[in-house]
């Protein structure tokens, strides 16, 4: 039987053999994975634990927080605060950045996360997840401020997510392809189950919230309308549709079998660039998708090239199989 490779061993080899990651980054990723394990336990307990229902509060985006949003946020902060690898953290659930307290050593990394993505699916027992992105503090910066986080996604040094579904699966890139780890609950560790994931360039499956159709812009309407016409339309092939409404689960499907995911700007809230957040949702997912041979744009520009103006900035997202993303992007015209 082939030897099982744990996440720890994979990361040690990335550090030692491939020279891709310094020891502090390895430690950081192990700690994030440990936090994901404990979030996964809280998710699994469901109504038997403290995890279900609303917390009765709102986050900075004006969204009602669920109990599990808050639990997952706390788990990630507590796990990462004391290790000495981080300078600060930022989260969908916190208005401003969280500095590592003075009583702990300060590291050079910045960690951003959406602690519990797909919150609307918690209470209905559908897949949810944690998304994370790691940046380096700019060279020579004294202390750390919010502006130190405002780096384009192309500067990420690690990115990933953990999806809590029928299995808990951690998907990771440090810039050397995408690796997938499945949580072995008996051993209590993540085990490498796939390496060098590749997304097919073509697909016949799209993911979009169709109920927003009347609010979309013309290029998105055109793209989806052509998919819906199937064999009889300009695409000459039938398309299938899937929408989990947890970005982690939709992206996981695309990394596994291809597809295209869209959460475009729409007329419901025209002043916002989109629903999804750039720095801790779109950037890490876009890097994973690109590392697996796919593409990710906001319709006009590669997502990883966007210079963020603020921490909780939103963005329009088209990502997945390369040829479909390029087609949908080309309908938007020049930037
Ligand atoms: P969340 O981070 O508050 O859970 O919101 C993000 C989620 C994404 O996971 C998902 O793609 C989208 O919101 C679903 O939106 P909709 O409710 O329009 O289907
Ligand atoms: Mg989210």
């Amino acid at each position: 039987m082939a030897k099982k490779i744990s996440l720890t061993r994979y990361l040690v080899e990335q550090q030692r053999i491939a020279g891709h990651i310094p020891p502090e980054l390895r430690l950081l990723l192990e700690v994030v994975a440990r936090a994901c394990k404990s979030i996964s336990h809280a998710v699994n307990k469901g109504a038997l634990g403290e995890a279900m229902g609303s917390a009765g509060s709102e986050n900075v985006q004006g969204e009602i927080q669920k109990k599990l949003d808050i639990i997952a946020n706390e788990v990630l902060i507590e796990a990462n605060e004391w290790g000495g690898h981080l300078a600060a953290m930022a989260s969908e659930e916190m208005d401003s950045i969280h500095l590592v307290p003075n009583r702990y050593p300060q590291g050079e990394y910045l960690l951003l996360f959406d602690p519990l993505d797909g919150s609307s699916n918690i209470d209905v027992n559908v897949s949810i997840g944690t998304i994370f992105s790691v940046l380096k503090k700019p060279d020579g910066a004294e202390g750390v401020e919010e502006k130190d986080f405002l780096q384009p996604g192309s500067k990420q040094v690690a990115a990933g997510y953990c999806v809590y579904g029928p299995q808990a699966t951690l998907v990771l890139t440090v810039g050397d392809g995408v690796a997938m780890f499945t949580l072995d609950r008996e051993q209590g560790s993540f085990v490498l189950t796939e390496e060098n994931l590749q997304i097919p360039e073509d697909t016949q499956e799209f993911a979009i919230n169709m109920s927003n159709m009347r609010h979309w812009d013309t290029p998105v309407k055109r793209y989806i309308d052509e998919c819906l016409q199937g064999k009889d339309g300009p695409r000459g092939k039938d398309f299938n549709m899937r929408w989990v409404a947890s970005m982690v689960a939709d992206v996981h499907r695309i990394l596994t079998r291809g597809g295209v995911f869209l959460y475009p700007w729409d007329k419901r809230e025209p002043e916002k660039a989109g629903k999804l957040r750039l720095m801790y949702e779109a950037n890490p997912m876009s890097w994973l998708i690109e590392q697996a041979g796919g593409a990710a744009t906001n319709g006009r520009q590669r997502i990883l090239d966007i210079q963020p103006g603020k921490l909780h900035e939103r963005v329009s997202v088209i990502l997945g199989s390369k040829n479909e993303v390029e087609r949908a992007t080309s309908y938007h015209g020049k930037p």
Side-chain angles (χ1 to χ4, degrees):
M1 203 178 82
K3 258 220 179 100
K4 284 187 177 176
I5 298 182
S6 65
L7 175 70
T8 302
R9 176 166 168 189
Y10 175 87
L11 291 173
V12 166
E13 286 175 357
Q14 284 289 319
Q15 179 196 324
R16 199 173 53 203
I17 303 169
H20 280 123
I21 52 169
E24 298 76 22
L25 182 54
R26 175 173 65 78
L27 173 65
L28 189 164
L29 294 170
E30 291 227 44
V31 173
V32 170
R34 204 182 316 134
C36 289
K37 238 190 283 176
S38 95
I39 297 169
S40 170
H41 290 309
V43 170
N44 282 148
K45 277 193 188 153
L48 301 174
E50 305 280 304
M52 312 288 270
S54 164
S57 49
E58 270 189 10
N59 66 13
V60 64
Q61 351 257 341
E63 298 157 341
I64 301 287
Q65 291 177 305
K66 302 279 186 153
K67 285 184 192 153
L68 204 56
D69 287 321
I70 295 176
I71 294 170
N73 195 56
E74 281 169 4
V75 167
L76 280 155
I77 289 176
E78 278 168 21
N80 280 286
E81 244 176 8
W82 48 269
H85 48 279
L86 277 186
M89 292 174 253
S91 160
E92 178 177 324
E93 303 304 336
M94 298 188 293
D95 302 8
S96 44
I97 62 169
H98 177 92
L99 301 179
V100 167
N102 285 337
R103 60 184 182 279
Y104 302 123
Q106 312 280 313
E108 56 180 342
Y109 291 103
L110 307 172
L111 174 66
L112 300 100
F113 45 82
D114 177 355
L116 214 287
D117 179 60
S119 309
S120 69
N121 281 326
I122 297 171
D123 294 345
V124 293
N125 199 3
V126 171
S127 296
I128 49 185
T130 297
I131 310 174
F132 60 92
S133 161
V134 185
L135 294 164
K136 255 186 115 172
K137 204 174 96 169
D139 280 343
E142 281 273 328
V144 55
E145 297 174 62
E146 183 168 314
K147 71 171 173 32
D148 297 326
F149 281 78
L150 304 182
Q151 306 178 37
S154 57
K155 295 270 171 90
Q156 292 171 104
V157 292
Y161 64 81
C162 186
V163 60
Y164 314 115
Q167 305 108 41
T169 311
L170 184 84
V171 179
L172 178 71
T173 185
V174 290
D176 181 33
V178 179
M180 206 180 262
F181 304 83
T182 304
L183 181 59
D184 180 335
R185 291 189 189 276
E186 282 147 33
Q187 301 293 326
S189 61
F190 282 102
V191 175
L192 182 67
T193 38
E194 211 167 326
E195 243 182 318
N196 294 322
L197 264 80
Q198 285 296 315
I199 305 173
E201 290 192 348
D202 291 298
T203 183
Q204 287 176 236
E205 194 163 72
F206 65 84
I208 192 166
N209 184 343
M210 291 290 290
S211 69
N212 297 325
M213 187 178 230
R214 71 187 188 286
H215 306 296
W216 297 337
D217 213 358
T218 319
V220 176
K221 271 193 185 138
R222 174 184 166 195
Y223 175 73
I224 296 296
D225 185 54
E226 289 182 1
C227 292
L228 293 176
Q229 289 177 57
K231 273 212 284 288
D232 309 325
R235 303 302 309 275
K237 57 182 185 179
D238 289 335
F239 278 78
N240 185 29
M241 194 204 88
R242 285 286 183 274
W243 183 249
V244 183
S246 293
M247 190 195 202
V248 266
D250 282 309
V251 168
H252 192 68
R253 185 187 58 254
I254 290 171
L255 278 168
T256 309
R257 69 175 189 210
V260 60
F261 169 96
L262 301 93
Y263 212 119
W265 169 90
D266 68 47
K267 293 179 192 129
R268 286 173 300 166
E269 293 186 286
E271 71 292 350
K272 291 186 181 156
K275 175 178 182 184
L276 299 177
R277 274 59 47 128
L278 174 63
M279 300 209 61
Y280 41 80
E281 293 181 320
N283 273 344
M285 293 313 205
S286 297
W287 198 29
L288 287 164
I289 292 282
E290 284 198 5
Q291 282 286 312
T297 77
N298 66 356
R300 301 182 186 278
Q301 188 184 6
R302 181 181 176 230
I303 286 179
L304 295 181
D305 287 337
I306 297 173
Q307 171 61 50
K310 54 181 189 194
L311 197 57
H312 297 289
E313 182 162 323
R314 293 175 190 255
V315 66
S316 185
V317 175
I318 306 173
L319 58 76
S321 290
K322 203 166 184 205
N323 292 339
E324 289 304 311
V325 174
E326 282 174 2
R327 174 183 285 267
T329 303
S330 72
Y331 291 1
H332 287 75
K334 295 266 173 286

